[in-house]
Amino acid sequence: SQTIHQWPATLVQPVGSPLSLECTVEGTSNPNLYWYRQAAGRGLQLLFYSVGIGQISSEVPQNLSASRPQDRQFILSSKKLLLSDSGFYLCAWMDRGRRNTIYFGEGSWLTVV
Amino acid sequence: DQQVKQNSPSLSVQEGRISILNCDYTNSMFDYFLWYKKYPAEGPTFLISISSIKDKNEDGRFTVFLNKSAKHLSLHIVPSQPGDSAVYFCAALMNRDDKIIFGKGTRLHILP
């Protein structure tokens, strides 16, 4: 069966520090991968998605970036965090054979102080 | 611009009654619509979906209705149970780019 893991689960970082959140999917190949953020009052905001290695689509202008160095690995990064980057970050995957549902990881809480 | 809208931030329903969660969308090119349930500090879990070529899909206590002419869908939960208390997100997917857009969510409270 397919599983998705993201880490770290909780992170407290000072303003201006770098960020790296990692997501890995197991039990499938060539999935679509997604990063979402849930901030207060804004629902689930799509940040990045990827349909293949090295292919990244960015949805929101910001100081975050994403990379997909391997087929089942998706990384969310920042060189310098802002207070407004605080939120609950969610990784998700889609089976490209079905392409009608995405499945989420457990989420990562980021607090920028 | 918000392509998927959930205009009710919260909803309270008596246990055992029907819960109806609503969602509106603006883009007629969406191919699938999905509903997710989310508890605090957890990832959303998939509940039910519907293809744009259908008008109803049922799975146990959950039924989703799609009205394409009104660009409106709804999730019905019958009967409502205490464990249904959560935030429910409506989402829409376009196969053209596999992008999935979510609404802001509706918090459902099931009252004893």
Side-chain angles (χ1 to χ4, degrees), chain A residues 50-76:
Chain A
S50 171
V51 299
I53 296 175
Q55 300 178 60
I56 309 293
S57 296
S58 174
E59 289 299 302
V60 182
Q62 62 215 327
N63 68 319
L64 299 172
S65 62
S67 62
R68 184 170 177 172
Q70 300 180 43
D71 180 44
R72 291 170 291 164
Q73 185 185 29
F74 206 22
I75 298 172
L76 183 70

mmCIF file of all heavy atoms in Angstrom, chain A residues 50-76:
data_model
loop_
_atom_site.group_PDB
_atom_site.id
_atom_site.type_symbol
_atom_site.label_atom_id
_atom_site.label_comp_id
_atom_site.label_asym_id
_atom_site.label_seq_id
_atom_site.Cartn_x
_atom_site.Cartn_y
_atom_site.Cartn_z
ATOM 1 N N SER A 50 4.212 19.170 -8.576
ATOM 2 C CA SER A 50 5.208 18.600 -9.485
ATOM 3 C C SER A 50 4.643 17.359 -10.159
ATOM 4 O O SER A 50 4.100 16.478 -9.493
ATOM 5 C CB SER A 50 6.475 18.240 -8.692
ATOM 6 O OG SER A 50 7.362 17.498 -9.502
ATOM 7 N N VAL A 51 4.790 17.302 -11.468
ATOM 8 C CA VAL A 51 4.321 16.130 -12.218
ATOM 9 C C VAL A 51 5.473 15.201 -12.594
ATOM 10 O O VAL A 51 5.249 14.170 -13.232
ATOM 11 C CB VAL A 51 3.523 16.544 -13.470
ATOM 12 C CG1 VAL A 51 2.297 17.343 -13.071
ATOM 13 C CG2 VAL A 51 4.393 17.332 -14.440
ATOM 14 N N GLY A 52 6.702 15.555 -12.202
ATOM 15 C CA GLY A 52 7.837 14.692 -12.492
ATOM 16 C C GLY A 52 9.109 15.256 -11.890
ATOM 17 O O GLY A 52 9.138 16.410 -11.422
ATOM 18 N N ILE A 53 10.173 14.467 -11.918
ATOM 19 C CA ILE A 53 11.472 14.900 -11.369
ATOM 20 C C ILE A 53 11.908 16.203 -12.021
ATOM 21 O O ILE A 53 11.906 16.327 -13.254
ATOM 22 C CB ILE A 53 12.548 13.821 -11.588
ATOM 23 C CG1 ILE A 53 12.189 12.555 -10.814
ATOM 24 C CG2 ILE A 53 13.918 14.326 -11.133
ATOM 25 C CD1 ILE A 53 13.143 11.406 -11.075
ATOM 26 N N GLY A 54 12.251 17.172 -11.182
ATOM 27 C CA GLY A 54 12.745 18.443 -11.682
ATOM 28 C C GLY A 54 11.682 19.367 -12.240
ATOM 29 O O GLY A 54 11.992 20.484 -12.655
ATOM 30 N N GLN A 55 10.430 18.937 -12.270
ATOM 31 C CA GLN A 55 9.348 19.767 -12.814
ATOM 32 C C GLN A 55 8.537 20.340 -11.660
ATOM 33 O O GLN A 55 7.849 19.602 -10.964
ATOM 34 C CB GLN A 55 8.435 18.939 -13.732
ATOM 35 C CG GLN A 55 9.136 18.318 -14.917
ATOM 36 C CD GLN A 55 8.181 17.490 -15.747
ATOM 37 O OE1 GLN A 55 7.195 17.994 -16.270
ATOM 38 N NE2 GLN A 55 8.474 16.208 -15.866
ATOM 39 N N ILE A 56 8.628 21.653 -11.476
ATOM 40 C CA ILE A 56 7.963 22.312 -10.363
ATOM 41 C C ILE A 56 7.100 23.445 -10.903
ATOM 42 O O ILE A 56 7.589 24.283 -11.665
ATOM 43 C CB ILE A 56 8.983 22.905 -9.368
ATOM 44 C CG1 ILE A 56 10.022 21.860 -8.962
ATOM 45 C CG2 ILE A 56 8.259 23.495 -8.156
ATOM 46 C CD1 ILE A 56 9.493 20.710 -8.150
ATOM 47 N N SER A 57 5.849 23.488 -10.472
ATOM 48 C CA SER A 57 4.968 24.609 -10.794
ATOM 49 C C SER A 57 4.697 25.373 -9.512
ATOM 50 O O SER A 57 4.336 24.780 -8.495
ATOM 51 C CB SER A 57 3.647 24.120 -11.392
ATOM 52 O OG SER A 57 3.866 23.478 -12.616
ATOM 53 N N SER A 58 4.888 26.681 -9.570
ATOM 54 C CA SER A 58 4.702 27.529 -8.400
ATOM 55 C C SER A 58 3.389 28.282 -8.528
ATOM 56 O O SER A 58 3.078 28.824 -9.595
ATOM 57 C CB SER A 58 5.856 28.528 -8.290
ATOM 58 O OG SER A 58 5.620 29.450 -7.252
ATOM 59 N N GLU A 59 2.607 28.280 -7.462
ATOM 60 C CA GLU A 59 1.297 28.915 -7.501
ATOM 61 C C GLU A 59 1.253 30.273 -6.831
ATOM 62 O O GLU A 59 0.408 31.098 -7.164
ATOM 63 C CB GLU A 59 0.265 27.998 -6.841
ATOM 64 C CG GLU A 59 -0.041 26.769 -7.663
ATOM 65 C CD GLU A 59 -0.625 27.145 -9.007
ATOM 66 O OE1 GLU A 59 -1.664 27.818 -9.041
ATOM 67 O OE2 GLU A 59 -0.018 26.778 -10.044
ATOM 68 N N VAL A 60 2.116 30.492 -5.874
ATOM 69 C CA VAL A 60 2.019 31.721 -5.077
ATOM 70 C C VAL A 60 3.387 32.378 -4.985
ATOM 71 O O VAL A 60 4.333 31.758 -4.540
ATOM 72 C CB VAL A 60 1.497 31.424 -3.660
ATOM 73 C CG1 VAL A 60 1.349 32.713 -2.878
ATOM 74 C CG2 VAL A 60 0.189 30.665 -3.701
ATOM 75 N N PRO A 61 3.500 33.648 -5.394
ATOM 76 C CA PRO A 61 4.790 34.342 -5.260
ATOM 77 C C PRO A 61 5.169 34.477 -3.794
ATOM 78 O O PRO A 61 4.372 34.923 -2.986
ATOM 79 C CB PRO A 61 4.525 35.721 -5.867
ATOM 80 C CG PRO A 61 3.272 35.594 -6.630
ATOM 81 C CD PRO A 61 2.481 34.496 -6.007
ATOM 82 N N GLN A 62 6.347 34.071 -3.420
ATOM 83 C CA GLN A 62 6.719 34.074 -2.009
ATOM 84 C C GLN A 62 8.205 33.771 -1.915
ATOM 85 O O GLN A 62 8.860 33.552 -2.917
ATOM 86 C CB GLN A 62 5.926 33.009 -1.259
ATOM 87 C CG GLN A 62 6.215 31.607 -1.766
ATOM 88 C CD GLN A 62 4.970 30.751 -1.719
ATOM 89 O OE1 GLN A 62 4.127 30.902 -0.851
ATOM 90 N NE2 GLN A 62 4.845 29.847 -2.658
ATOM 91 N N ASN A 63 8.699 33.679 -0.702
ATOM 92 C CA ASN A 63 10.120 33.385 -0.533
ATOM 93 C C ASN A 63 10.360 31.899 -0.301
ATOM 94 O O ASN A 63 11.396 31.523 0.237
ATOM 95 C CB ASN A 63 10.677 34.207 0.632
ATOM 96 C CG ASN A 63 10.111 33.743 1.962
ATOM 97 O OD1 ASN A 63 8.933 33.442 2.064
ATOM 98 N ND2 ASN A 63 10.954 33.684 2.973
ATOM 99 N N LEU A 64 9.411 31.058 -0.699
ATOM 100 C CA LEU A 64 9.594 29.623 -0.585
ATOM 101 C C LEU A 64 9.949 29.043 -1.949
ATOM 102 O O LEU A 64 9.629 29.634 -2.984
ATOM 103 C CB LEU A 64 8.302 28.969 -0.082
ATOM 104 C CG LEU A 64 7.804 29.395 1.293
ATOM 105 C CD1 LEU A 64 6.432 28.802 1.551
ATOM 106 C CD2 LEU A 64 8.780 28.986 2.373
ATOM 107 N N SER A 65 10.577 27.877 -1.946
ATOM 108 C CA SER A 65 10.873 27.162 -3.185
ATOM 109 C C SER A 65 10.677 25.681 -2.942
ATOM 110 O O SER A 65 10.600 25.220 -1.795
ATOM 111 C CB SER A 65 12.309 27.445 -3.641
ATOM 112 O OG SER A 65 13.239 26.991 -2.678
ATOM 113 N N ALA A 66 10.550 24.921 -4.023
ATOM 114 C CA ALA A 66 10.377 23.480 -3.911
ATOM 115 C C ALA A 66 11.317 22.795 -4.888
ATOM 116 O O ALA A 66 11.678 23.359 -5.919
ATOM 117 C CB ALA A 66 8.931 23.090 -4.190
ATOM 118 N N SER A 67 11.684 21.568 -4.538
ATOM 119 C CA SER A 67 12.528 20.781 -5.432
ATOM 120 C C SER A 67 12.079 19.326 -5.365
ATOM 121 O O SER A 67 11.524 18.868 -4.364
ATOM 122 C CB SER A 67 14.009 20.915 -5.040
ATOM 123 O OG SER A 67 14.227 20.426 -3.727
ATOM 124 N N ARG A 68 12.342 18.629 -6.457
ATOM 125 C CA ARG A 68 12.006 17.205 -6.519
ATOM 126 C C ARG A 68 13.251 16.490 -7.041
ATOM 127 O O ARG A 68 13.359 16.214 -8.238
ATOM 128 C CB ARG A 68 10.806 16.966 -7.427
ATOM 129 C CG ARG A 68 10.344 15.519 -7.445
ATOM 130 C CD ARG A 68 9.022 15.387 -8.162
ATOM 131 N NE ARG A 68 8.582 13.996 -8.255
ATOM 132 C CZ ARG A 68 7.394 13.629 -8.707
ATOM 133 N NH1 ARG A 68 6.536 14.549 -9.123
ATOM 134 N NH2 ARG A 68 7.061 12.364 -8.770
ATOM 135 N N PRO A 69 14.172 16.168 -6.147
ATOM 136 C CA PRO A 69 15.423 15.546 -6.587
ATOM 137 C C PRO A 69 15.281 14.081 -6.978
ATOM 138 O O PRO A 69 16.089 13.572 -7.765
ATOM 139 C CB PRO A 69 16.324 15.690 -5.358
ATOM 140 C CG PRO A 69 15.382 15.792 -4.212
ATOM 141 C CD PRO A 69 14.151 16.479 -4.724
ATOM 142 N N GLN A 70 14.265 13.415 -6.448
ATOM 143 C CA GLN A 70 14.008 12.021 -6.800
ATOM 144 C C GLN A 70 12.516 11.846 -7.072
ATOM 145 O O GLN A 70 11.703 12.699 -6.700
ATOM 146 C CB GLN A 70 14.435 11.083 -5.657
ATOM 147 C CG GLN A 70 15.904 11.163 -5.300
ATOM 148 C CD GLN A 70 16.264 10.223 -4.161
ATOM 149 O OE1 GLN A 70 15.814 9.073 -4.142
ATOM 150 N NE2 GLN A 70 17.065 10.702 -3.223
ATOM 151 N N ASP A 71 12.159 10.736 -7.680
ATOM 152 C CA ASP A 71 10.780 10.512 -8.118
ATOM 153 C C ASP A 71 9.771 10.660 -6.985
ATOM 154 O O ASP A 71 8.672 11.200 -7.181
ATOM 155 C CB ASP A 71 10.667 9.109 -8.726
ATOM 156 C CG ASP A 71 9.264 8.796 -9.200
ATOM 157 O OD1 ASP A 71 8.649 9.674 -9.843
ATOM 158 O OD2 ASP A 71 8.769 7.686 -8.948
ATOM 159 N N ARG A 72 10.115 10.178 -5.787
ATOM 160 C CA ARG A 72 9.143 10.151 -4.706
ATOM 161 C C ARG A 72 9.531 11.051 -3.538
ATOM 162 O O ARG A 72 9.103 10.846 -2.408
ATOM 163 C CB ARG A 72 8.956 8.704 -4.227
ATOM 164 C CG ARG A 72 8.266 7.819 -5.256
ATOM 165 C CD ARG A 72 8.298 6.364 -4.872
ATOM 166 N NE ARG A 72 9.664 5.840 -4.948
ATOM 167 C CZ ARG A 72 10.044 4.698 -4.387
ATOM 168 N NH1 ARG A 72 9.202 3.982 -3.698
ATOM 169 N NH2 ARG A 72 11.288 4.277 -4.509
ATOM 170 N N GLN A 73 10.328 12.066 -3.822
ATOM 171 C CA GLN A 73 10.789 12.988 -2.788
ATOM 172 C C GLN A 73 10.493 14.414 -3.203
ATOM 173 O O GLN A 73 10.806 14.837 -4.328
ATOM 174 C CB GLN A 73 12.301 12.805 -2.577
ATOM 175 C CG GLN A 73 12.866 13.629 -1.438
ATOM 176 C CD GLN A 73 14.387 13.496 -1.352
ATOM 177 O OE1 GLN A 73 15.059 13.268 -2.360
ATOM 178 N NE2 GLN A 73 14.923 13.653 -0.163
ATOM 179 N N PHE A 74 9.905 15.166 -2.275
ATOM 180 C CA PHE A 74 9.528 16.547 -2.560
ATOM 181 C C PHE A 74 9.980 17.387 -1.373
ATOM 182 O O PHE A 74 9.664 17.053 -0.225
ATOM 183 C CB PHE A 74 8.009 16.642 -2.735
ATOM 184 C CG PHE A 74 7.530 17.772 -3.586
ATOM 185 C CD1 PHE A 74 8.345 18.397 -4.525
ATOM 186 C CD2 PHE A 74 6.205 18.215 -3.490
ATOM 187 C CE1 PHE A 74 7.874 19.418 -5.325
ATOM 188 C CE2 PHE A 74 5.724 19.239 -4.291
ATOM 189 C CZ PHE A 74 6.557 19.835 -5.203
ATOM 190 N N ILE A 75 10.714 18.441 -1.633
ATOM 191 C CA ILE A 75 11.306 19.239 -0.563
ATOM 192 C C ILE A 75 10.830 20.681 -0.674
ATOM 193 O O ILE A 75 10.837 21.262 -1.773
ATOM 194 C CB ILE A 75 12.848 19.181 -0.623
ATOM 195 C CG1 ILE A 75 13.310 17.744 -0.421
ATOM 196 C CG2 ILE A 75 13.458 20.090 0.428
ATOM 197 C CD1 ILE A 75 14.795 17.530 -0.652
ATOM 198 N N LEU A 76 10.434 21.253 0.436
ATOM 199 C CA LEU A 76 10.040 22.659 0.510
ATOM 200 C C LEU A 76 11.131 23.413 1.264
ATOM 201 O O LEU A 76 11.531 22.993 2.342
ATOM 202 C CB LEU A 76 8.701 22.805 1.243
ATOM 203 C CG LEU A 76 8.126 24.207 1.335
ATOM 204 C CD1 LEU A 76 7.658 24.700 -0.027
ATOM 205 C CD2 LEU A 76 6.954 24.251 2.316
#
